[in-house]
């Protein structure tokens, strides 16, 4: 092999080694972003499903079991009892509203919100810089119809 060919082979080996070193330096950050995103958004999705179930259960309870429609605090207390104990973020129950329907019955609307915390430092920093808090804002709304009288056939 001539001298020029040897120099070309040396440069190729040097570039391959450089690429491996660069990948070894960048890969942990890439892995943190991908795996951290899977963890944080997986928890957020799970928390959203739980939040939606809380809204559904509260609206159903208010429509079927609540004796006094004006007792808004009972609805809020019921929704607060359903909050999981491991939730550390901000959990809020909005003021439930009753709407008269043109047909028979009333409609109860219940809205709840929760800030699902981010667990990885990258996403904590990203959410803090963009939204002002360290988590993902979640909100759920449920409506349920309360019949004023049952139809008998």
């Amino acid at each position: 092999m001539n001298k020029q060919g040897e120099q070309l082979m040396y440069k190729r080996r040097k570039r391959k080694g450089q690429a491996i070193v660069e990948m070894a330096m960048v890969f942990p950050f890439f892995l943190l972003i991908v795996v951290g995103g899977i963890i944080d958004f997986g928890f957020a999705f799970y928390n959203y499903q739980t939040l939606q179930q809380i809204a559904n259960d509260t609206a159903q309870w208010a429509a079927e079991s609540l004796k006094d429609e004006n007792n808004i605090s009972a609805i809020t207390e019921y929704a607060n009892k359903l909050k999981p104990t491991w939730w550390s973020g901000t959990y809020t129950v909005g003021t439930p509203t009753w709407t008269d329907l043109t047909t028979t019955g009333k409609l109860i609307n219940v809205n709840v919100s929760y800030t699902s915390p981010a667990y990885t430092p990258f996403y904590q920093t990203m959410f803090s810089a963009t939204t002002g808090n360290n988590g993902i804002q979640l909100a759920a709304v449920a409506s349920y119809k309360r019949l004023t009288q049952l139809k008998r056939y």
Side-chain angles (χ1 to χ4, degrees):
M1 193 179 278
N2 61 12
K3 191 170 186 168
Q4 189 176 14
E6 287 177 14
Q7 288 176 344
L8 186 61
M9 292 277 290
Y10 176 72
K11 285 183 181 180
R12 281 187 187 164
R13 269 189 255 130
K14 188 177 177 182
R15 285 186 188 160
K16 284 183 184 178
Q18 178 185 356
I20 289 173
V21 170
E22 287 176 0
M23 188 183 89
M25 292 173 64
V26 172
F27 187 70
F29 297 108
F30 176 72
L31 194 64
L32 175 70
I33 292 170
V34 171
V35 173
I38 290 170
I39 291 169
D40 284 336
F41 289 105
F43 273 120
F45 182 73
Y46 175 75
N47 288 336
Y48 175 73
Q49 293 297 323
T50 305
L51 190 68
Q52 185 63 56
Q53 190 64 44
I54 290 170
N56 292 343
D57 289 348
T58 304
Q60 182 178 8
W61 176 83
E64 293 177 351
S65 301
L66 189 66
K67 304 291 184 220
D68 181 17
E69 293 174 1
N70 297 324
N71 193 356
I72 301 298
S73 63
I75 299 171
T76 305
E77 286 175 24
Y78 185 82
N80 284 326
K81 280 193 319 189
L82 295 177
K83 175 190 169 199
T85 56
W86 67 88
W87 277 8
S88 60
T90 306
Y91 174 74
T92 325
V93 179
T95 305
T97 57
W98 290 95
T99 307
D100 289 324
L101 300 173
T102 55
T103 60
T104 60
K106 287 188 170 191
L107 191 70
I108 177 75
N109 293 312
V110 176
N111 58 339
V112 289
S113 63
Y114 175 64
T115 303
S116 181
Y119 295 101
T120 55
F122 174 78
Y123 286 102
Q124 285 176 349
T125 305
M126 186 180 77
F127 290 135
S128 180
T130 56
T131 63
N133 57 23
N134 291 348
I136 301 169
Q137 296 290 325
L138 305 173
V141 178
S143 299
Y144 210 86
K145 183 178 179 180
R146 179 179 200 162
L147 296 174
T148 52
Q149 63 183 15
L150 292 174
K151 291 185 178 181
R152 308 263 176 181
Y153 295 101

